[in-house]
């Protein structure tokens, strides 16, 4: 299975702190994406990083990709209570159209 | 972007029955994807639904258990057949952004099924 691993499984921080989540995967990819899910509802796309990119920013989000280590990290800066959610990385295979999701990290931001 | 509506949003079903989930998209899309999310778990792809052809199922999922229809470019249904408590999950419909298949996915709000 290509399904990746994410760590930590759960993260609890204070509002204003930074949150870092890591994702590892197993096969060659076209791109890697991060999604957020609030309380078991639908997923919302956060950011996409292509295999030839190393870092990408979007607002308070910073994503890095290391294809040699087959790993990525998502940094959320200055976290807010509204950031409380589950975060999933997902990888797009290099030669297919399937998006495979990692196990997810549950983030709790305390106010 | 795409707006996806799923029905029902939740349901409680009896063992042995079947339930059909509907997915309506506000624009024409080539491929629609059905995912399952078991309690506390990540998403697992069930199948890819293309208009005008049979759905492509992932390993571990079969058409008899999860028949899919794709009558046009904006609509699809997923049926969960002969349900057991192990089928209790959130079922999510999704579509790719734009015409390509390498970009982001848009998701419906999901259908939360509880099987008693």
């Amino acid at each position: 299975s290509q399904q990746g691993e994410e760590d930590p499984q759960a993260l609890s921080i204070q509002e204003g702190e930074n949150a870092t989540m890591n994702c590892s995967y197993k096969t060659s990819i076209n791109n890697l994406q991060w999604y957020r899910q609030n309380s078991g509802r639908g997923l919302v796309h956060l950011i996409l990083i292509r295999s030839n990119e190393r870092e990408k920013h979007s607002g308070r989000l910073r994503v890095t990709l290391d294809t040699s280590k087959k790993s990525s990290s998502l940094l959320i800066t200055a976290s807010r209570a509204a950031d409380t959610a589950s975060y999933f990385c997902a990888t797009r295979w290099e030669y297919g159209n399937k998006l495979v999701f990692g196990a997810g990290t549950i983030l709790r931001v305390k106010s | 972007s795409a707006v996806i509506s799923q029905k029902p949003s939740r349901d409680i079903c009896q063992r042995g029955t079947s339930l059909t989930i509907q997915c309506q998209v506000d624009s024409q899309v080539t491929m629609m994807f059905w995912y399952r999310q078991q309690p506390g778990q990540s998403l697992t792809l069930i199948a890819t639904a293309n208009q005008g052809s049979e759905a492509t199922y992932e390993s571990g999922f079969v058409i008899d258990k999860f028949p899919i229809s794709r009558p046009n470019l904006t609509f699809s249904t997923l049926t969960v057949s002969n349900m057991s408590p192990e089928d209790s999950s959130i079922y999510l419909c999704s579509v790719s952004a734009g015409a390509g298949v390498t970009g982001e996915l848009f998701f419906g709000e999901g259908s939360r099924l509880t099987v008693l």
Side-chain angles (χ1 to χ4, degrees):
Chain A
S1 165
Q2 192 200 347
Q3 189 169 39
E5 301 293 324
E6 290 184 60
D7 77 271
Q9 290 185 323
L11 180 61
S12 183
I13 59 174
Q14 291 293 135
E15 205 165 28
E17 294 180 339
N18 295 341
T20 299
M21 289 160 265
N22 303 296
C23 167
S24 62
Y25 57 92
K26 298 176 184 177
T27 65
S28 295
I29 60 171
N30 176 288
N31 64 62
L32 185 144
Q33 305 174 30
W34 286 89
Y35 289 80
R36 184 185 71 214
Q37 184 180 37
N38 289 84
S39 300
R41 304 188 67 186
L43 277 73
V44 174
H45 179 264
L46 296 175
I47 196 166
L48 179 154
I49 186 165
R50 303 187 192 287
S51 59
N52 61 355
E53 297 176 311
R54 292 297 167 258
E55 187 171 313
K56 204 160 183 181
H57 297 255
S58 177
R60 293 184 296 114
L61 305 180
R62 172 178 170 255
V63 169
T64 62
L65 178 65
D66 187 334
T67 53
S68 67
K69 295 181 180 178
K70 291 186 169 56
S71 67
S72 174
S73 67
L74 171 68
L75 169 67
I76 303 174
T77 60
S79 63
R80 306 165 181 168
D83 295 328
T84 295
S86 294
Y87 290 82
F88 295 91
C89 71
T91 50
R92 177 83 69 180
W93 288 6
E94 190 172 9
Y95 299 108
N97 58 29
K98 189 164 66 172
L99 198 61
V100 178
F101 285 81
T105 294
I106 299 171
L107 173 65
R108 181 184 172 210
V109 181
K110 295 177 284 188
S111 57
Chain B
S1 66
V3 177
I4 302 170
S5 302
Q6 270 188 249
K7 288 193 291 188
S9 58
R10 59 177 62 230
D11 207 340
I12 299 174
C13 309
Q14 296 300 316
R15 183 195 299 257
T17 63
S18 299
L19 183 81
T20 296
I21 301 166
Q22 299 179 3
C23 178
Q24 178 75 52
V25 189
D26 69 342
S27 58
Q28 294 185 339
V29 294
T30 304
M31 285 189 285
M32 298 174 77
F33 305 91
W34 287 98
Y35 283 86
R36 180 178 74 181
Q37 186 177 27
Q38 295 176 300
Q41 302 295 314
S42 184
L43 280 72
T44 301
L45 182 64
I46 297 172
T48 302
N50 297 315
Q51 195 269 334
S53 63
E54 294 253 337
T56 303
Y57 289 83
E58 297 299 308
S59 175
F61 298 95
V62 295
I63 188 171
D64 289 347
K65 176 68 176 177
F66 298 100
I68 288 171
S69 78
R70 183 77 201 275
N72 57 53
L73 290 172
T74 63
F75 187 79
S76 178
T77 67
L78 170 75
T79 298
V80 186
S81 304
N82 188 24
M83 287 185 284
S84 67
E86 292 71 34
D87 294 318
S88 296
S89 298
I90 301 172
Y91 292 86
L92 295 134
C93 169
S94 67
V95 302
S96 283
V101 297
T102 59
E104 67 194 79
L105 292 184
F106 295 101
F107 283 85
E109 286 295 304
S111 299
R112 183 187 293 269
L113 302 188
T114 301
V115 184
L116 304 178

